[in-house]
Amino acid sequence: CDASNNWDTVMTTANNPLVLISTQTASVSASLSWTGLGTSYNTYFLDCNGIIPVTNSVVFGMQFGEGGTPTWKTASYKTSEFAFDDAAGNTGAAASASNTYLYLANGISTTANYSVSVKVWIHNIGSSTLYKSITGTVVYYDAGPRMTQGMVGGIYTGDTTAVTAIRVVMNSGSISSGQC
């Protein structure tokens, strides 16, 4: 943020290379999506805050879309996460292969004051020769409830076609509230 704590101003100033594409707000939404991305940028930054699911103990994930419609890719995602939680001494690594989305947060709570915060860099979006990948951080309460923070990385290996769309989804139910 800048001195005025106005993120939108920072995102759009001439001296900042980040350009705000759009902001999506959930209200019992099946997904939040950004389409028509094109190849103007090769790397995107996704900043989600206040994400709360309708269904308890679900996964918050991300998918890529290709083409003008778009066609959403629902296989060939691989994710790894290294997380710490507030239970004494709990740390761990988790990995998933050939899933229907990139895992961003796992087992999240529906409790109103708990939410997911995700900051993810999305790489190689416009490339037609490289797999698409993500790197980022996440903080959330799971259904335990335990506060969890972690690092997440993932890759889409289905093809190397340029991505024209991105969406975030729950593996079950909808996104009750939050903004990306």
Short mmCIF file of all heavy atoms in Angstrom, two decimals, residues 34-85:
data_model
loop_
_atom_site.label_atom_id
_atom_site.label_comp_id
_atom_site.label_asym_id
_atom_site.label_seq_id
_atom_site.Cartn_x
_atom_site.Cartn_y
_atom_site.Cartn_z
N TRP A 34 -12.19 -14.43 -14.26
CA TRP A 34 -11.63 -13.36 -15.08
C TRP A 34 -11.41 -13.93 -16.46
O TRP A 34 -10.65 -14.90 -16.61
CB TRP A 34 -10.32 -12.85 -14.48
CG TRP A 34 -10.51 -12.27 -13.13
CD1 TRP A 34 -10.69 -10.95 -12.82
CD2 TRP A 34 -10.61 -12.97 -11.88
NE1 TRP A 34 -10.89 -10.80 -11.46
CE2 TRP A 34 -10.85 -12.03 -10.86
CE3 TRP A 34 -10.53 -14.33 -11.52
CZ2 TRP A 34 -11.00 -12.39 -9.53
CZ3 TRP A 34 -10.68 -14.67 -10.20
CH2 TRP A 34 -10.91 -13.71 -9.22
N THR A 35 -12.08 -13.39 -17.46
CA THR A 35 -12.00 -13.93 -18.82
C THR A 35 -11.41 -12.88 -19.76
O THR A 35 -11.27 -11.71 -19.39
CB THR A 35 -13.39 -14.36 -19.32
OG1 THR A 35 -14.26 -13.22 -19.31
CG2 THR A 35 -13.98 -15.46 -18.44
N GLY A 36 -11.10 -13.31 -20.97
CA GLY A 36 -10.55 -12.40 -21.97
C GLY A 36 -9.20 -11.84 -21.59
O GLY A 36 -8.88 -10.70 -21.93
N LEU A 37 -8.37 -12.63 -20.90
CA LEU A 37 -7.09 -12.13 -20.41
C LEU A 37 -6.08 -11.86 -21.53
O LEU A 37 -5.27 -10.97 -21.40
CB LEU A 37 -6.49 -13.10 -19.38
CG LEU A 37 -7.34 -13.29 -18.12
CD1 LEU A 37 -6.68 -14.29 -17.19
CD2 LEU A 37 -7.59 -11.98 -17.42
N GLY A 38 -6.12 -12.63 -22.60
CA GLY A 38 -5.19 -12.38 -23.70
C GLY A 38 -3.74 -12.63 -23.32
O GLY A 38 -3.44 -13.25 -22.31
N THR A 39 -2.83 -12.10 -24.12
CA THR A 39 -1.41 -12.33 -23.90
C THR A 39 -0.65 -11.04 -23.62
O THR A 39 0.56 -10.97 -23.78
CB THR A 39 -0.78 -13.05 -25.11
OG1 THR A 39 -1.02 -12.26 -26.28
CG2 THR A 39 -1.37 -14.45 -25.29
N SER A 40 -1.35 -9.99 -23.19
CA SER A 40 -0.69 -8.73 -22.87
C SER A 40 0.29 -8.87 -21.72
O SER A 40 1.31 -8.18 -21.67
CB SER A 40 -1.72 -7.66 -22.50
OG SER A 40 -2.55 -7.39 -23.60
N TYR A 41 -0.03 -9.76 -20.77
CA TYR A 41 0.83 -9.98 -19.61
C TYR A 41 1.15 -11.46 -19.52
O TYR A 41 0.29 -12.30 -19.78
CB TYR A 41 0.13 -9.53 -18.33
CG TYR A 41 -0.36 -8.10 -18.39
CD1 TYR A 41 -1.69 -7.82 -18.62
CD2 TYR A 41 0.53 -7.05 -18.26
CE1 TYR A 41 -2.15 -6.51 -18.70
CE2 TYR A 41 0.09 -5.73 -18.33
CZ TYR A 41 -1.25 -5.47 -18.56
OH TYR A 41 -1.69 -4.18 -18.63
N ASN A 42 2.36 -11.78 -19.12
CA ASN A 42 2.75 -13.17 -18.97
C ASN A 42 2.58 -13.65 -17.54
O ASN A 42 2.48 -14.84 -17.28
CB ASN A 42 4.20 -13.38 -19.43
CG ASN A 42 4.52 -14.83 -19.61
OD1 ASN A 42 3.73 -15.57 -20.18
ND2 ASN A 42 5.66 -15.26 -19.12
N THR A 43 2.53 -12.73 -16.58
CA THR A 43 2.38 -13.07 -15.17
C THR A 43 1.24 -12.24 -14.58
O THR A 43 1.15 -11.05 -14.83
CB THR A 43 3.69 -12.78 -14.39
OG1 THR A 43 4.75 -13.52 -14.98
CG2 THR A 43 3.55 -13.18 -12.93
N TYR A 44 0.38 -12.92 -13.82
CA TYR A 44 -0.73 -12.26 -13.14
C TYR A 44 -0.58 -12.45 -11.64
O TYR A 44 0.04 -13.42 -11.19
CB TYR A 44 -2.07 -12.84 -13.60
CG TYR A 44 -2.48 -12.38 -14.97
CD1 TYR A 44 -1.95 -12.95 -16.13
CD2 TYR A 44 -3.41 -11.35 -15.12
CE1 TYR A 44 -2.32 -12.51 -17.38
CE2 TYR A 44 -3.78 -10.91 -16.36
CZ TYR A 44 -3.24 -11.49 -17.50
OH TYR A 44 -3.59 -11.05 -18.73
N PHE A 45 -1.19 -11.56 -10.86
CA PHE A 45 -1.19 -11.65 -9.40
C PHE A 45 -2.63 -11.70 -8.94
O PHE A 45 -3.43 -10.82 -9.26
CB PHE A 45 -0.48 -10.42 -8.80
CG PHE A 45 -0.42 -10.44 -7.31
CD1 PHE A 45 0.37 -11.35 -6.64
CD2 PHE A 45 -1.14 -9.53 -6.56
CE1 PHE A 45 0.45 -11.38 -5.25
CE2 PHE A 45 -1.08 -9.52 -5.17
CZ PHE A 45 -0.28 -10.46 -4.52
N LEU A 46 -2.98 -12.75 -8.21
CA LEU A 46 -4.33 -12.92 -7.67
C LEU A 46 -4.29 -12.67 -6.17
O LEU A 46 -3.51 -13.30 -5.45
CB LEU A 46 -4.84 -14.34 -7.95
CG LEU A 46 -6.24 -14.66 -7.46
CD1 LEU A 46 -7.28 -13.84 -8.21
CD2 LEU A 46 -6.51 -16.14 -7.62
N ASP A 47 -5.11 -11.75 -5.69
CA ASP A 47 -5.15 -11.35 -4.28
C ASP A 47 -6.58 -11.54 -3.79
O ASP A 47 -7.47 -10.76 -4.11
CB ASP A 47 -4.72 -9.88 -4.17
CG ASP A 47 -4.71 -9.36 -2.75
OD1 ASP A 47 -4.88 -10.16 -1.81
OD2 ASP A 47 -4.54 -8.15 -2.58
N CYS A 48 -6.82 -12.62 -3.02
CA CYS A 48 -8.15 -12.92 -2.51
C CYS A 48 -8.18 -12.71 -1.00
O CYS A 48 -7.26 -13.14 -0.30
CB CYS A 48 -8.53 -14.37 -2.81
SG CYS A 48 -8.67 -14.75 -4.56
N ASN A 49 -9.24 -12.08 -0.52
CA ASN A 49 -9.38 -11.80 0.92
C ASN A 49 -10.82 -12.00 1.36
O ASN A 49 -11.75 -11.75 0.59
CB ASN A 49 -8.97 -10.36 1.22
CG ASN A 49 -7.50 -10.16 0.99
OD1 ASN A 49 -6.69 -10.62 1.78
ND2 ASN A 49 -7.15 -9.49 -0.09
N GLY A 50 -10.99 -12.41 2.61
CA GLY A 50 -12.32 -12.56 3.18
C GLY A 50 -13.13 -13.68 2.57
O GLY A 50 -14.36 -13.68 2.65
N ILE A 51 -12.47 -14.67 1.96
CA ILE A 51 -13.18 -15.77 1.31
C ILE A 51 -13.74 -16.71 2.37
O ILE A 51 -13.00 -17.25 3.20
CB ILE A 51 -12.25 -16.54 0.35
CG1 ILE A 51 -11.69 -15.61 -0.74
CG2 ILE A 51 -12.95 -17.76 -0.23
CD1 ILE A 51 -12.71 -15.04 -1.69
N ILE A 52 -15.05 -16.91 2.33
CA ILE A 52 -15.74 -17.82 3.25
C ILE A 52 -16.64 -18.74 2.41
O ILE A 52 -17.41 -18.24 1.58
CB ILE A 52 -16.58 -17.06 4.29
CG1 ILE A 52 -15.67 -16.18 5.15
CG2 ILE A 52 -17.37 -18.04 5.16
CD1 ILE A 52 -16.40 -15.29 6.13
N PRO A 53 -16.56 -20.05 2.63
CA PRO A 53 -17.40 -20.97 1.85
C PRO A 53 -18.81 -21.10 2.43
O PRO A 53 -19.03 -20.80 3.61
CB PRO A 53 -16.65 -22.31 1.98
CG PRO A 53 -16.01 -22.23 3.33
CD PRO A 53 -15.63 -20.77 3.51
N VAL A 54 -19.73 -21.58 1.62
CA VAL A 54 -21.08 -21.91 2.09
C VAL A 54 -21.04 -23.24 2.84
O VAL A 54 -21.72 -23.41 3.85
CB VAL A 54 -22.06 -21.99 0.89
CG1 VAL A 54 -23.39 -22.60 1.30
CG2 VAL A 54 -22.27 -20.61 0.29
N THR A 55 -20.23 -24.18 2.36
CA THR A 55 -20.12 -25.53 2.92
C THR A 55 -18.86 -25.63 3.77
O THR A 55 -17.79 -25.17 3.34
CB THR A 55 -20.07 -26.57 1.79
OG1 THR A 55 -21.20 -26.36 0.94
CG2 THR A 55 -20.08 -27.98 2.32
N ASN A 56 -18.96 -26.23 4.95
CA ASN A 56 -17.81 -26.36 5.86
C ASN A 56 -16.81 -27.40 5.36
O ASN A 56 -17.17 -28.38 4.72
CB ASN A 56 -18.29 -26.73 7.26
CG ASN A 56 -17.30 -26.36 8.33
OD1 ASN A 56 -16.69 -25.29 8.27
ND2 ASN A 56 -17.14 -27.21 9.31
N SER A 57 -15.54 -27.16 5.66
CA SER A 57 -14.44 -28.10 5.42
C SER A 57 -14.27 -28.44 3.94
O SER A 57 -14.19 -29.60 3.56
CB SER A 57 -14.64 -29.37 6.25
OG SER A 57 -13.45 -30.11 6.29
N VAL A 58 -14.21 -27.42 3.10
CA VAL A 58 -14.04 -27.61 1.66
C VAL A 58 -12.68 -27.07 1.20
O VAL A 58 -11.97 -26.43 1.96
CB VAL A 58 -15.17 -26.93 0.85
CG1 VAL A 58 -16.50 -27.60 1.12
CG2 VAL A 58 -15.25 -25.45 1.16
N VAL A 59 -12.38 -27.33 -0.06
CA VAL A 59 -11.13 -26.86 -0.68
C VAL A 59 -11.43 -25.64 -1.54
O VAL A 59 -12.40 -25.63 -2.30
CB VAL A 59 -10.50 -27.97 -1.55
CG1 VAL A 59 -9.29 -27.45 -2.30
CG2 VAL A 59 -10.14 -29.17 -0.70
N PHE A 60 -10.60 -24.61 -1.42
CA PHE A 60 -10.66 -23.43 -2.28
C PHE A 60 -9.57 -23.63 -3.32
O PHE A 60 -8.41 -23.86 -2.99
CB PHE A 60 -10.39 -22.18 -1.43
CG PHE A 60 -10.46 -20.88 -2.18
CD1 PHE A 60 -11.58 -20.53 -2.90
CD2 PHE A 60 -9.40 -19.99 -2.13
CE1 PHE A 60 -11.66 -19.31 -3.57
CE2 PHE A 60 -9.46 -18.77 -2.78
CZ PHE A 60 -10.60 -18.43 -3.51
N GLY A 61 -9.96 -23.61 -4.60
CA GLY A 61 -9.01 -23.90 -5.66
C GLY A 61 -9.12 -22.96 -6.84
O GLY A 61 -10.00 -22.09 -6.89
N MET A 62 -8.22 -23.14 -7.81
CA MET A 62 -8.15 -22.29 -8.99
C MET A 62 -8.06 -23.15 -10.24
O MET A 62 -7.41 -24.19 -10.23
CB MET A 62 -6.93 -21.37 -8.91
CG MET A 62 -6.83 -20.41 -10.08
SD MET A 62 -5.52 -19.18 -9.86
CE MET A 62 -4.09 -20.20 -9.81
N GLN A 63 -8.71 -22.70 -11.33
CA GLN A 63 -8.65 -23.38 -12.61
C GLN A 63 -8.32 -22.38 -13.71
O GLN A 63 -8.58 -21.19 -13.59
CB GLN A 63 -10.00 -24.03 -12.95
CG GLN A 63 -10.38 -25.14 -12.02
CD GLN A 63 -11.77 -25.69 -12.34
OE1 GLN A 63 -12.69 -24.95 -12.65
NE2 GLN A 63 -11.91 -27.00 -12.22
N PHE A 64 -7.77 -22.91 -14.81
CA PHE A 64 -7.45 -22.11 -15.98
C PHE A 64 -8.47 -22.39 -17.08
O PHE A 64 -9.01 -23.49 -17.17
CB PHE A 64 -6.05 -22.44 -16.51
CG PHE A 64 -4.94 -22.10 -15.55
CD1 PHE A 64 -3.94 -23.02 -15.28
CD2 PHE A 64 -4.89 -20.87 -14.92
CE1 PHE A 64 -2.91 -22.71 -14.40
CE2 PHE A 64 -3.87 -20.55 -14.05
CZ PHE A 64 -2.88 -21.47 -13.79
N GLY A 65 -8.70 -21.38 -17.92
CA GLY A 65 -9.56 -21.53 -19.07
C GLY A 65 -8.81 -21.14 -20.33
O GLY A 65 -7.89 -20.33 -20.30
N GLU A 66 -9.21 -21.74 -21.45
CA GLU A 66 -8.58 -21.46 -22.74
C GLU A 66 -9.64 -21.12 -23.78
O GLU A 66 -10.76 -21.61 -23.71
CB GLU A 66 -7.78 -22.68 -23.21
CG GLU A 66 -6.65 -23.05 -22.26
CD GLU A 66 -5.98 -24.37 -22.62
OE1 GLU A 66 -6.45 -25.08 -23.54
OE2 GLU A 66 -5.00 -24.71 -21.95
N GLY A 67 -9.28 -20.27 -24.73
CA GLY A 67 -10.18 -19.91 -25.80
C GLY A 67 -11.13 -18.79 -25.41
O GLY A 67 -11.12 -18.30 -24.28
N GLY A 68 -11.96 -18.39 -26.35
CA GLY A 68 -12.85 -17.25 -26.16
C GLY A 68 -14.04 -17.52 -25.27
O GLY A 68 -14.60 -16.61 -24.69
N THR A 69 -14.48 -18.76 -25.15
CA THR A 69 -15.72 -19.07 -24.44
C THR A 69 -15.63 -18.94 -22.93
O THR A 69 -16.55 -18.37 -22.36
CB THR A 69 -16.24 -20.46 -24.84
OG1 THR A 69 -16.37 -20.49 -26.25
CG2 THR A 69 -17.57 -20.76 -24.21
N PRO A 70 -14.73 -19.32 -22.15
CA PRO A 70 -13.59 -20.21 -22.36
C PRO A 70 -13.94 -21.68 -22.07
O PRO A 70 -15.00 -21.98 -21.51
CB PRO A 70 -12.58 -19.73 -21.32
CG PRO A 70 -13.43 -19.30 -20.18
CD PRO A 70 -14.69 -18.73 -20.81
N THR A 71 -13.01 -22.58 -22.42
CA THR A 71 -13.11 -23.97 -22.03
C THR A 71 -12.30 -24.12 -20.75
O THR A 71 -11.09 -23.88 -20.75
CB THR A 71 -12.52 -24.89 -23.13
OG1 THR A 71 -13.27 -24.69 -24.33
CG2 THR A 71 -12.58 -26.35 -22.70
N TRP A 72 -12.98 -24.48 -19.65
CA TRP A 72 -12.30 -24.61 -18.36
C TRP A 72 -11.59 -25.94 -18.27
O TRP A 72 -12.16 -26.98 -18.61
CB TRP A 72 -13.29 -24.45 -17.21
CG TRP A 72 -13.85 -23.06 -17.17
CD1 TRP A 72 -15.09 -22.66 -17.58
CD2 TRP A 72 -13.17 -21.88 -16.74
NE1 TRP A 72 -15.22 -21.30 -17.42
CE2 TRP A 72 -14.05 -20.79 -16.91
CE3 TRP A 72 -11.90 -21.63 -16.24
CZ2 TRP A 72 -13.72 -19.49 -16.58
CZ3 TRP A 72 -11.56 -20.33 -15.91
CH2 TRP A 72 -12.46 -19.28 -16.07
N LYS A 73 -10.36 -25.92 -17.83
CA LYS A 73 -9.55 -27.13 -17.68
C LYS A 73 -9.83 -27.74 -16.31
O LYS A 73 -9.66 -27.08 -15.29
CB LYS A 73 -8.06 -26.80 -17.84
CG LYS A 73 -7.75 -26.22 -19.22
CD LYS A 73 -8.18 -27.20 -20.29
CE LYS A 73 -8.03 -26.67 -21.68
NZ LYS A 73 -8.33 -27.68 -22.69
N THR A 74 -10.28 -29.00 -16.29
CA THR A 74 -10.71 -29.65 -15.06
C THR A 74 -9.93 -30.92 -14.75
O THR A 74 -10.43 -31.82 -14.08
CB THR A 74 -12.22 -29.96 -15.12
OG1 THR A 74 -12.46 -30.79 -16.26
CG2 THR A 74 -13.04 -28.68 -15.24
N ALA A 75 -8.69 -30.99 -15.22
CA ALA A 75 -7.81 -32.13 -14.91
C ALA A 75 -6.37 -31.68 -15.10
O ALA A 75 -6.11 -30.60 -15.65
CB ALA A 75 -8.13 -33.32 -15.82
N SER A 76 -5.44 -32.50 -14.66
CA SER A 76 -4.00 -32.32 -14.88
C SER A 76 -3.37 -31.18 -14.07
O SER A 76 -2.41 -30.56 -14.51
CB SER A 76 -3.69 -32.12 -16.37
OG SER A 76 -4.17 -33.22 -17.11
N TYR A 77 -3.89 -30.92 -12.88
CA TYR A 77 -3.30 -29.95 -11.98
C TYR A 77 -2.49 -30.67 -10.91
O TYR A 77 -2.91 -31.73 -10.41
CB TYR A 77 -4.37 -29.11 -11.29
CG TYR A 77 -5.15 -28.21 -12.22
CD1 TYR A 77 -6.39 -28.59 -12.69
CD2 TYR A 77 -4.63 -26.98 -12.60
CE1 TYR A 77 -7.11 -27.76 -13.53
CE2 TYR A 77 -5.34 -26.14 -13.44
CZ TYR A 77 -6.59 -26.55 -13.91
OH TYR A 77 -7.29 -25.71 -14.74
N LYS A 78 -1.37 -30.11 -10.54
CA LYS A 78 -0.54 -30.66 -9.47
C LYS A 78 -0.20 -29.53 -8.52
O LYS A 78 0.22 -28.46 -8.95
CB LYS A 78 0.74 -31.28 -10.03
CG LYS A 78 0.45 -32.43 -10.96
CD LYS A 78 1.70 -33.01 -11.56
CE LYS A 78 1.31 -34.11 -12.52
NZ LYS A 78 2.43 -34.86 -13.01
N THR A 79 -0.41 -29.76 -7.22
CA THR A 79 -0.19 -28.73 -6.22
C THR A 79 0.65 -29.28 -5.08
O THR A 79 0.50 -30.43 -4.70
CB THR A 79 -1.54 -28.25 -5.63
OG1 THR A 79 -2.43 -27.92 -6.68
CG2 THR A 79 -1.34 -27.03 -4.75
N SER A 80 1.49 -28.42 -4.52
CA SER A 80 2.19 -28.76 -3.28
C SER A 80 2.03 -27.60 -2.32
O SER A 80 1.94 -26.45 -2.72
CB SER A 80 3.66 -29.07 -3.52
OG SER A 80 4.33 -27.92 -3.97
N GLU A 81 1.95 -27.94 -1.04
CA GLU A 81 1.77 -26.92 -0.01
C GLU A 81 2.63 -27.29 1.19
O GLU A 81 2.76 -28.45 1.54
CB GLU A 81 0.30 -26.86 0.42
CG GLU A 81 0.04 -25.87 1.52
CD GLU A 81 -1.39 -25.92 2.04
OE1 GLU A 81 -2.00 -27.00 2.06
OE2 GLU A 81 -1.89 -24.86 2.42
N PHE A 82 3.26 -26.30 1.78
CA PHE A 82 3.95 -26.49 3.05
C PHE A 82 3.27 -25.55 4.03
O PHE A 82 3.21 -24.35 3.79
CB PHE A 82 5.44 -26.17 2.95
CG PHE A 82 6.18 -26.50 4.20
CD1 PHE A 82 6.51 -27.81 4.49
CD2 PHE A 82 6.50 -25.51 5.11
CE1 PHE A 82 7.16 -28.14 5.66
CE2 PHE A 82 7.17 -25.82 6.29
CZ PHE A 82 7.50 -27.15 6.57
N ALA A 83 2.71 -26.11 5.09
CA ALA A 83 1.88 -25.29 5.99
C ALA A 83 2.27 -25.48 7.45
O ALA A 83 2.79 -26.52 7.84
CB ALA A 83 0.42 -25.66 5.80
N PHE A 84 1.97 -24.45 8.23
CA PHE A 84 2.12 -24.45 9.68
C PHE A 84 0.74 -24.12 10.24
O PHE A 84 0.04 -23.27 9.69
CB PHE A 84 3.07 -23.34 10.13
CG PHE A 84 4.42 -23.38 9.50
CD1 PHE A 84 4.65 -22.76 8.28
CD2 PHE A 84 5.47 -24.01 10.15
CE1 PHE A 84 5.90 -22.78 7.70
CE2 PHE A 84 6.74 -24.04 9.58
CZ PHE A 84 6.96 -23.43 8.35
N ASP A 85 0.36 -24.75 11.36
CA ASP A 85 -0.88 -24.32 11.99
C ASP A 85 -0.63 -24.01 13.46
O ASP A 85 0.47 -24.22 13.97
CB ASP A 85 -2.03 -25.30 11.78
CG ASP A 85 -1.88 -26.61 12.51
OD1 ASP A 85 -1.33 -26.63 13.62
OD2 ASP A 85 -2.35 -27.63 11.97
#
